[in-house]
Amino acid sequence: MKEATAMRPSHETEYCEFVAANLIPLRRFAYLVCGDWHRAEDAVQTVLTKLYVDWHRTVRRDPQAYVRRMVVNALHDVHRRSWFRRERPAETLPDTAYDRAEATEDRLVLLDALAKLPVRRRATLVLRFWEDRSIEDTARIMGCSETTVKSQTARGLHTLRDLLPNSMTERIEVIPT
């Protein structure tokens, strides 16, 4: 892993001026390459972050060409990595169709119930299940013991089940703590 070094003030000024002058044209370029504004903005942001680290070497080259090449490579990398995220056909269809309206309603009910929990229990549940963090990670982030995380998780899930309608709690998978 590269060790970050402090950028000289003159290089930082050059970098900031370059970004200010080229941000919009770079976004436009990335959009034209990929055809998606969101992917284009993500690619430009990634490139500018990498560029900041290597700016001292970039100023000796042609920064316009170098950055555009970086944008193309970033977009290509995203496209290349996304093959495993694509939807794959299944042999059999599920028994029931996906009901977006029901899922949205369930999400709103769940978020409302979650908001009624005490802050530490809510934070524990969000870290454990929404962000899929381990007990150890959650304890480190919250600054408490693993036992506290386990008890907050158990209490939070119990309270959450009491706050949710029976029709939802029957569909919720029992999660061991």
Side-chain angles (χ1 to χ4, degrees):
M1 179 180 224
K2 251 187 223 183
E3 186 176 316
T5 56
M7 185 185 284
R8 284 192 271 167
S10 63
H11 284 169
E12 186 149 2
T13 302
E14 291 172 1
Y15 172 81
C16 290
E17 290 172 356
F18 177 84
V19 170
N22 291 286
L23 184 60
I24 292 171
L26 282 173
R27 282 189 198 147
R28 192 176 312 122
F29 171 76
Y31 171 74
L32 294 171
V33 170
C34 71
D36 179 353
W37 279 113
H38 298 291
R39 282 184 50 213
E41 288 182 358
D42 288 347
V44 169
Q45 180 179 356
T46 300
V47 165
L48 291 177
T49 303
K50 289 179 181 179
L51 184 66
Y52 181 84
V53 174
D54 291 329
W55 182 253
H56 63 282
R57 285 190 294 241
T58 306
V59 293
R60 289 182 244 144
R61 303 178 189 153
D62 177 9
Q64 295 289 337
Y66 183 68
V67 171
R68 279 169 172 67
R69 184 67 197 160
M70 288 176 73
V71 168
V72 170
N73 288 342
L75 289 168
H76 184 70
D77 287 347
V78 168
H79 179 71
R80 200 174 18 198
R81 282 190 311 247
S82 69
W83 70 268
F84 66 90
R85 293 186 203 133
R86 291 194 187 125
E87 189 174 346
R88 291 183 178 83
E91 287 292 320
T92 60
L93 294 175
D95 292 338
T96 59
Y98 176 73
D99 184 359
R100 184 178 295 270
E102 184 179 325
T104 301
E105 184 178 324
D106 286 352
R107 178 176 282 216
L108 292 174
V109 169
L110 182 61
L111 289 174
D112 184 52
L114 192 61
K116 293 176 183 173
L117 293 177
V119 175
R120 286 185 62 82
R121 288 183 190 167
R122 185 179 339 142
T124 303
L125 292 179
V126 168
L127 287 167
R128 291 283 290 124
F129 303 113
W130 194 290
E131 293 189 358
D132 198 28
R133 302 229 181 222
S134 67
I135 292 171
E136 297 80 19
D137 283 347
T138 304
R140 185 179 44 75
I141 291 167
M142 293 186 63
C144 63
S145 70
E146 293 177 18
T147 306
T148 302
V149 170
K150 291 176 184 179
S151 67
Q152 290 291 320
T153 301
R155 290 179 185 143
L157 288 173
H158 183 267
T159 306
L160 195 61
R161 285 185 186 108
D162 288 344
L163 292 171
L164 294 173
N166 286 338
S167 62
M168 277 187 75
T169 56
E170 291 169 0
R171 290 181 287 162
I172 295 176
E173 157 186 347
V174 176
I175 303 170
T177 56

